Amino acid sequence: MNSYWPEFLTVALIHLLAVASPGPDFAVMLRQALCQSRKNALLTAFGIGAGILVHVSYSLLGIGLIIQQSILLFTILKITGALYLTWIAVQCLRARAGGVYVDTKTGTLQSGFAALRLGFLTNALNPKATLFFVSLFSVVISPGTPVAIQAGYGAYMALATGLWFTLVAVFFTLPAVRRGFNRFGHWLDRLMGGALLLLAGHLLLSTVSGAEPLSDPSPGTGR
């Protein structure tokens, strides 16, 4: 087991840099933390962490390489991800002044399942995450590493991702933090929507132009 520690530390460092970088997961998590209850924000964080297991699973099964090398499958994944990001962006852009207030009496809160699903699908449908995990499991992690150890790496990344976004959720649901966003929170919401719309447009543009090579290892998930 000791011989796998250097590999694990490499995986952990690369994953830390990836998960801390801005992208769809963070934008969605920030919006949830400011506009939803803490419970829903935490469920979204859990959903994002669970979404990691999807990427880990197909990487372990070798399906990730098939997706990466198939222009058709990867194009479908990118278009699906772009459309989903566009849908989220539209919800953000429709934000109204005072939108960061959480009023449980208005019935505007999501259900727990909807909050969980939002986090899960945001991560699971992120094609940048597909490139990241396929590259990680094919370049960084040795083919000779036992599957059980590789699965352990995946479990760690899912747990670490969930923990990171849990901290984000807890911080941005603090009353003092929310009060600081009360006056201009809807503009932040719209900014997040614009960022997600740009990400979706980039995905569609790269799909049409074929500018993003499928086999190019990605240093991060683009989150």
Side-chain angles (χ1 to χ4, degrees):
M1 290 292 294
N2 290 336
S3 62
Y4 296 110
W5 274 109
E7 184 178 71
F8 169 74
L9 292 176
T10 301
V11 169
L13 177 60
I14 294 174
H15 175 258
L16 175 63
L17 295 174
V19 77
S21 62
D25 289 348
F26 185 81
V28 168
M29 191 67 250
L30 182 59
R31 181 175 189 266
Q32 288 293 96
L34 293 175
C35 301
Q36 292 290 318
S37 65
R38 174 170 287 186
K39 175 185 175 181
N40 280 356
L42 291 173
L43 284 171
T44 299
F46 181 78
I48 292 174
I52 294 289
L53 296 176
V54 174
H55 303 294
V56 171
S57 297
Y58 63 61
S59 296
L60 289 176
L61 294 173
I63 299 175
L65 288 174
I66 297 176
I67 295 175
Q68 186 189 32
Q69 295 171 6
S70 170
I71 295 177
L72 177 60
L73 288 178
F74 196 68
T75 297
I76 292 174
L77 176 63
K78 289 171 72 175
I79 292 176
T80 302
L83 291 177
Y84 187 68
L85 288 181
T86 300
W87 180 81
I88 299 174
V90 170
Q91 309 307 308
C92 294
L93 292 172
R94 294 171 61 188
R96 295 172 296 179
V100 296
Y101 287 103
V102 179
D103 187 356
T104 57
K105 297 179 181 180
T106 62
T108 58
L109 286 179
Q110 295 172 319
S111 66
F113 176 74
L116 178 68
R117 180 184 59 198
L118 176 63
F120 178 81
L121 291 178
T122 299
N123 187 278
L125 294 178
N126 184 359
K128 290 291 186 181
T130 298
L131 284 177
F132 171 75
F133 280 96
V134 169
S135 298
L136 189 68
F137 277 87
S138 61
V139 177
V140 179
I141 299 175
S142 170
T145 301
V147 174
I149 299 294
Q150 294 188 42
Y153 295 164
Y156 161 78
M157 287 186 283
L159 182 62
T161 300
L163 179 59
W164 164 254
F165 285 110
T166 293
L167 294 175
V168 172
V170 170
F171 176 76
F172 283 101
T173 52
L174 291 174
V177 175
R178 274 189 168 158
R179 283 195 297 269
F181 284 97
N182 278 343
R183 292 185 177 180
F184 58 88
H186 62 291
W187 290 111
L188 177 64
D189 211 6
R190 293 171 184 175
L191 179 63
M192 291 298 102
L196 289 172
L197 203 58
L198 286 175
L199 286 170
H202 174 71
L203 281 177
L204 290 175
L205 183 62
S206 65
T207 301
V208 173
S209 64
E212 185 175 316
L214 301 183
S215 59
D216 183 28
S218 174
T221 63
R223 270 179 274 181

